[in-house]
Amino acid sequence: MLQRMNGYTNVHPMQLPSRTAIPLNAPPLLSCRCFSRTTASAFNTSSIQQHSRTNASDEPQKASDLTFQQAIQSLQVGAKTMNPLTYLSSLSRTMECCKNASESSFFTILDHRCLMEQRVKFWDSSCCSKSCPPSLRQPIRSKTLLAHSINQRKMSQALQLPIIDLSSDDRLSTANLIRQACVDHGFFYIVNHGLEEELLKKVLEQSKMFFSLPVEEKMKLAVKNHRGYTGMYQEKLDPSLSAKGDSKESFYIGPQTENHLNQWPSEEDLPSWRSTMEAYHKKVLSAGTKVISLIALALNLDEDFFEKLGALNDPLAFIRLLHYPEDMDSTEEETYGASAHSDYGMITLLLTDGVPGLQVCREKSKQPQLWEDVPSISGALIVNIGDMMERWTNCLFRSTLHRVVPAGEERYSVAFFLDADKDCIVECLESCCSESCPPRFPPIRSSDYLQERFRVTATASIEDYLL
Ligand SMILES: O=C(O)CCC(=O)C(=O)O
Ligand SMILES: [Fe+2]
């Protein structure tokens, strides 16, 4: 849905500091001329007319006379009566044109009881029919709409990432495309990766079935040895945030070893669960290994370079099923499904259910940070470079900062972290350093590096995350 909301992006940072509640019957505060130009069309329905009738003068008010306050009143009417898409569009246009309004007053107004307490009553019967069904899947609480608008302020536009065809015979050209993608974005899509759509669909379905179990059932499989269930707020990927933790639950499935067995839900509850996850693990590992060999080619190395290095002997290859509930406390600016982070390992292959929310920030040190949406493409997997690969390449390949923002509906995704064998030493590749560009990081053992990263972000006992 966020993709459809791209028109909301250029909302200006607003300056006045106060967070004063503005009663609805207060006199107009801020003149908002451009509101009339940009917003009138969105309000050409009942909301403006209803509002006009409430004026002292019985004269219908001209759009050009509308004030910021009136715009807000219209929005409040609109929240109850309009198609939510139109409503969202109006909301964002209003924000856009109210450049001079204080951000806090703006949100205080939007925070108004009727927005915060009521479910938005969408589309009256005139707005949908059998041939024109509602364009959003389910009613969204006004609180969630507000979260959207908060997040929209941080957003720019959808990022156009390269799409890499893994089945192409021209491996050198493919490797070159990957090189460019890793240098420019640290993110790209892969298609023809060998995972059938049917399996992608099934893994998401089975994941959803697991997360729908009662929490007591899920807690029976609480994470041990980095395998099993992690509950809400058990991780904070951006430790600098004051929020209690990231608003998601997850389930890790790793390679089976003698000492480290996966945990599985009971066959009675979920009969096809284990076989689906095992099939997915096998296939996604094979796709990931192909990507690694192309990355080696992209670095002018032999395609089996990382195998020879031992990185893929017993790779730390973990599936992480993720569920971001709709009901996040999303009015808190600090609450994220996954707060800003880069991934730790070699590469990540990500499957999403199509619900937006994933964003990347390509220039982490630039202020203000620019966050761009990564739209999902049906059937494609999203690949991103992790920190180990960034260390190997001395930052030639980017391990890009990313996060998941509340999307206003629940979201499922499946990350596959392909990380080097725990004994593999990660150190700058010869081809990536020189006298004038010395290695930026000292050599490190793969599992030492990963363990340290988990220690910093786990809000629960680190013992459970040991690899
Ligand atoms: O759910 C997503 O889209 C991204 C998840 C993610 O970045 C992670 O788990 O590292
Ligand atoms: Fe990530």
Side-chain angles (χ1 to χ4, degrees):
M1 189 176 69
L2 292 181
Q3 272 159 272
R4 277 182 261 148
M5 289 163 51
N6 273 343
Y8 308 161
T9 51
N10 297 321
V11 178
H12 294 265
M14 305 168 192
Q15 290 119 18
L16 302 178
S18 68
R19 186 180 166 85
T20 21
I22 301 171
L24 282 180
N25 57 1
L29 284 179
L30 299 154
S31 145
C32 179
R33 294 240 170 82
C34 53
F35 172 77
S36 58
R37 274 203 317 267
T38 55
T39 321
S41 60
F43 281 90
N44 60 5
T45 54
S46 56
S47 57
I48 279 210
Q49 283 138 28
Q50 281 179 27
H51 169 70
S52 300
R53 280 197 292 273
T54 64
N55 283 329
S57 145
D58 273 338
E59 284 288 308
Q61 192 167 13
K62 278 197 212 130
S64 58
D65 295 328
L66 286 172
T67 61
F68 175 62
Q69 167 109 33
Q70 289 163 337
I72 295 302
Q73 284 181 303
S74 295
L75 278 174
Q76 289 180 327
V77 175
K80 288 185 233 158
T81 56
M82 290 161 78
N83 173 314
L85 217 51
T86 317
Y87 171 72
L88 278 168
S89 155
S90 314
L91 177 67
S92 98
R93 286 200 195 106
T94 309
M95 288 168 68
E96 215 171 302
C97 68
C98 294
K99 292 178 203 164
N100 300 322
S102 109
E103 180 174 17
S104 51
S105 342
F106 185 70
F107 282 111
T108 305
I109 298 168
L110 288 180
D111 229 6
H112 190 270
R113 62 187 181 282
C114 74
L115 273 177
M116 297 303 291
E117 286 163 11
Q118 289 180 13
R119 272 199 171 259
V120 176
K121 300 220 171 45
F122 293 143
W123 38 71
D124 59 19
S125 53
S126 62
C127 291
C128 63
S129 66
K130 251 195 186 166
S131 59
C132 173
S135 49
L136 297 179
R137 277 178 233 163
Q138 57 193 28
I140 302 175
R141 258 184 285 143
S142 52
K143 184 175 156 184
T144 314
L145 295 184
L146 179 58
H148 274 307
S149 62
I150 289 172
N151 288 318
Q152 289 306 310
R153 286 181 300 128
K154 301 176 195 145
M155 287 173 43
S156 173
Q157 57 200 19
L159 191 56
Q160 305 262 320
L161 293 170
I163 301 175
I164 309 290
D165 182 351
L166 281 197
S167 70
S168 163
D169 291 332
D170 189 351
R171 288 176 62 76
L172 275 182
S173 304
T174 310
N176 276 332
L177 291 174
I178 289 188
R179 181 184 174 94
Q180 202 57 49
C182 294
V183 169
D184 291 346
H185 310 288
F187 271 75
F188 54 92
Y189 299 98
I190 51 171
V191 293
N192 295 323
H193 37 55
L195 288 102
E196 302 84 16
E197 293 232 29
E198 198 52 41
L199 180 60
L200 304 185
K201 208 170 129 218
K202 208 163 166 201
V203 81
L204 285 165
E205 269 168 19
Q206 294 290 321
S207 168
K208 196 168 184 172
M209 284 161 79
F210 172 77
F211 289 118
S212 312
L213 293 174
V215 72
E216 314 80 69
E217 287 301 309
K218 293 186 277 192
M219 283 310 290
K220 285 183 190 161
L221 304 176
V223 68
K224 265 190 265 152
N225 298 319
H226 211 94
R227 288 152 174 85
Y229 175 72
T230 71
M232 295 283 283
Y233 312 117
Q234 243 176 282
E235 178 182 62
K236 187 159 59 167
L237 285 166
D238 178 355
S240 73
L241 292 182
S242 58
K244 52 189 166 187
D246 293 346
S247 187
K248 64 165 179 250
E249 47 181 354
S250 84
F251 194 98
Y252 282 105
I253 301 160
Q256 297 265 39
T257 67
E258 253 171 53
N259 303 330
H260 293 130
L261 296 179
N262 281 313
Q263 308 196 59
W264 305 109
S266 81
E267 294 238 329
E268 248 169 58
D269 282 345
L270 301 171
S272 337
W273 211 82
R274 179 172 178 171
S275 57
T276 306
M277 297 308 161
E278 287 179 336
Y280 188 76
H281 193 280
K282 191 167 161 212
K283 295 227 161 173
V284 76
L285 174 59
S286 156
T289 310
K290 276 186 206 155
V291 175
I292 292 290
S293 64
L294 285 162
I295 284 182
L297 281 181
L299 291 163
N300 299 319
L301 301 166
D302 292 341
E303 55 184 323
D304 58 356
F305 176 85
F306 289 101
E307 273 97 334
K308 283 195 189 138
L309 206 63
L312 299 175
N313 284 354
D314 276 316
L316 295 169
F318 283 83
I319 292 177
R320 191 179 193 190
L321 307 173
L322 291 152
H323 173 221
Y324 305 92
E326 182 215 332
D327 210 8
M328 307 203 304
D329 190 8
S330 45
T331 49
E332 280 283 336
E333 276 207 60
E334 286 244 302
T335 306
Y336 294 93
S339 47
H341 68 284
S342 52
D343 291 351
Y344 313 154
M346 295 199 285
I347 51 170
T348 305
L349 277 65
L350 181 75
L351 166 68
T352 83
D353 64 354
V355 173
L358 178 64
Q359 299 183 327
V360 299
C361 170
R362 282 182 289 161
E363 302 293 339
K364 43 190 158 201
S365 41
K366 201 167 157 196
Q367 290 297 334
Q369 287 183 327
L370 172 68
W371 288 93
E372 295 170 287
D373 291 328
V374 179
S376 75
I377 298 180
S378 174
L381 297 175
I382 299 166
V383 179
N384 63 287
I385 295 293
D387 298 329
M388 270 187 202
M389 192 57 79
E390 187 177 74
R391 289 173 82 102
W392 258 314
T393 64
N394 217 14
C395 297
L396 173 69
F397 285 6
R398 287 157 174 253
S399 172
T400 306
L401 205 59
H402 56 284
R403 68 183 184 185
V404 176
V405 295
E409 52 185 316
E410 71 181 334
R411 180 175 187 274
Y412 293 86
S413 66
V414 182
F416 175 70
F417 302 109
L418 180 49
D419 301 350
D421 182 293
K422 64 183 175 26
D423 292 320
C424 180
I425 304 295
V426 180
E427 65 184 322
C428 180
L429 299 169
E430 268 174 37
S431 58
C432 294
C433 59
S434 64
E435 235 172 63
S436 60
C437 175
R440 297 187 191 198
F441 312 99
I444 193 159
R445 189 171 164 259
S446 163
S447 66
D448 293 344
Y449 179 70
L450 293 171
Q451 222 69 267
E452 178 54 18
R453 296 296 299 271
F454 292 129
R455 196 186 60 71
V456 173
T457 52
T459 58
S461 158
I462 177 63
E463 302 305 311
D464 302 328
Y465 290 88
L466 292 180
L467 292 162

